[in-house]
Amino acid sequence: MVKKTGRPAYLQIADDLREQVRGGSLAPGAPLPSTAQLAEQYDASLSVVKMAVGILRNEGLLIGQQGKGVFVRDEESSESGQVTAVDLVSEVIELRTAVRDLSQRLARVESTLSERSDQ
Amino acid sequence: MVKKTGRPAYLQIADDLREQVRGGSLAPGAPLPSTAQLAEQYDASLSVVKMAVGILRNEGLLIGQQGKGVFVRDEESSESGQVTAVDLVSEVIELRTAVRDLSQRLARVESTLSERSDQ
DNA sequence: CAGGCCAACTAGGTTAACTATGTTGGTCGC
DNA sequence: GCGACCAACATAGTTAACCTAGTTGGCCTG
């Protein structure tokens, strides 16, 4: 693999994996080959594979579970590939709510902890 | 820099830079300090700074020009008419990371609580 | 002075090695 | 059989080193 186009290898691999996910070749929830296996498949070093996976992980397309493997994200919201502004706005609203909720829970639990610790 | 939260350094730096851009501390078109200078500022290695910049470059927030420097994306340089795509994406990413961070802290603290309760 | 050359910067890509941490499966002792 | 332990494998993060390539400015030569 890794054609001799100017495109860096880690982007080529990321593109290829993204294509496989979008094309259904890698089904949602399915595990990817291990980093070492991917490195051998693409005839690339471990580092570039890790970078490629890191990008897709950052994009939310893949989910890495330490000690187990890397899996295609299971949700169905990733189908279009093109994210619309409406999707983003709604996600922002959802996330803001989630942040507020988590902050409140955290504050409550942490205060409980400090009370116990103070005694 | 690089607080001792569980959050990896390259994400902390990426968050910080993203915040500076969104907050206007780094104006559009303005150059970032060089990789070496950033590494010194954050007391981090060159590698993590490069990773952080790479993420923001991938997000479209920063534009790297080989031999010159890294610049905050200029509104006019990607005139698609819609101002907000990158802004929304950055905010979504910020919020997502915030949610993840809060969830981890919450889980850790709650497990501590339950341990104490069990005994 | 003009032009070219070169050294010193810059970002970007690649690789290798090391650590940390989580999961899993097998083996060994009881 | 069961539990503890351990080795092998997994992702994840960090660091260091090396290479490419573009830019800039100064110096030196003609």
Side-chain angles (χ1 to χ4, degrees):
Chain A
M1 255 279 177
V2 279
K3 300 164 190 141
K4 283 168 276 182
T5 168
R7 194 159 179 74
Y10 73 97
L11 287 182
Q12 288 185 44
I13 297 178
D15 289 344
D16 190 72
L17 292 176
R18 202 184 288 109
E19 191 69 20
Q20 288 189 41
V21 171
R22 285 172 47 95
S25 169
L26 279 173
L32 269 69
S34 75
T35 307
Q37 288 174 324
L38 286 177
E40 189 173 357
Q41 280 185 27
Y42 288 107
D43 191 27
S45 70
L46 290 176
S47 304
V48 301
V49 173
K50 285 166 73 174
M51 288 177 70
V53 172
I55 288 177
L56 301 181
R57 193 155 44 93
N58 191 269
E59 290 178 5
L61 199 67
L62 301 180
I63 295 181
Q65 289 188 316
Q66 205 169 305
K68 296 188 73 174
V70 179
F71 302 86
V72 179
R73 193 185 62 166
D74 212 337
E75 302 172 27
E76 51 283 283
S77 61
S78 67
E79 53 191 55
S80 83
Q82 257 297 339
V83 184
T84 69
V86 176
D87 291 335
L88 285 176
V89 169
S90 52
E91 183 165 7
V92 167
I93 293 174
E94 283 180 29
L95 286 171
R96 280 180 182 157
T97 307
V99 167
R100 188 185 312 176
D101 187 40
L102 285 170
S103 300
Q104 288 174 350
R105 289 173 59 192
L106 189 61
R108 186 161 40 85
V109 171
E110 279 183 342
S111 68
T112 306
L113 253 189
S114 60
E115 282 174 11
R116 295 195 182 186
S117 302
D118 288 345
Q119 296 167 359
Chain B
M1 251 277 179
V2 281
K3 300 168 189 134
K4 282 168 281 181
T5 167
R7 193 159 179 72
Y10 72 98
L11 288 183
Q12 289 185 43
I13 296 177
D15 289 344
D16 189 70
L17 293 177
R18 200 184 290 109
E19 191 67 21
Q20 288 188 41
V21 171
R22 283 174 46 85
S25 169
L26 279 172
L32 268 70
S34 75
T35 308
Q37 289 173 325
L38 285 177
E40 189 174 357
Q41 279 185 28
Y42 288 107
D43 190 27
S45 71
L46 289 175
S47 304
V48 301
V49 172
K50 285 165 74 172
M51 289 177 70
V53 172
I55 289 177
L56 301 183
R57 194 156 42 94
N58 191 270
E59 290 175 9
L61 201 67
L62 301 180
I63 295 181
Q65 289 189 355
Q66 207 170 303
K68 296 188 72 174
V70 179
F71 302 86
V72 179
R73 181 185 125 272
D74 206 339
E75 304 292 341
E76 299 132 27
S77 71
S78 69
E79 181 58 48
S80 62
Q82 303 307 325
V83 195
T84 51
V86 173
D87 291 336
L88 278 177
V89 169
S90 345
E91 181 162 8
V92 166
I93 292 174
E94 280 183 37
L95 286 170
R96 279 211 277 244
T97 55
V99 166
R100 192 191 313 175
D101 196 31
L102 286 170
S103 300
Q104 288 175 350
R105 288 173 57 191
L106 190 60
R108 196 171 341 122
V109 171
E110 280 182 340
S111 69
T112 305
L113 257 187
S114 63
E115 281 175 12
R116 295 194 182 186
S117 300
D118 288 347
Q119 294 166 358

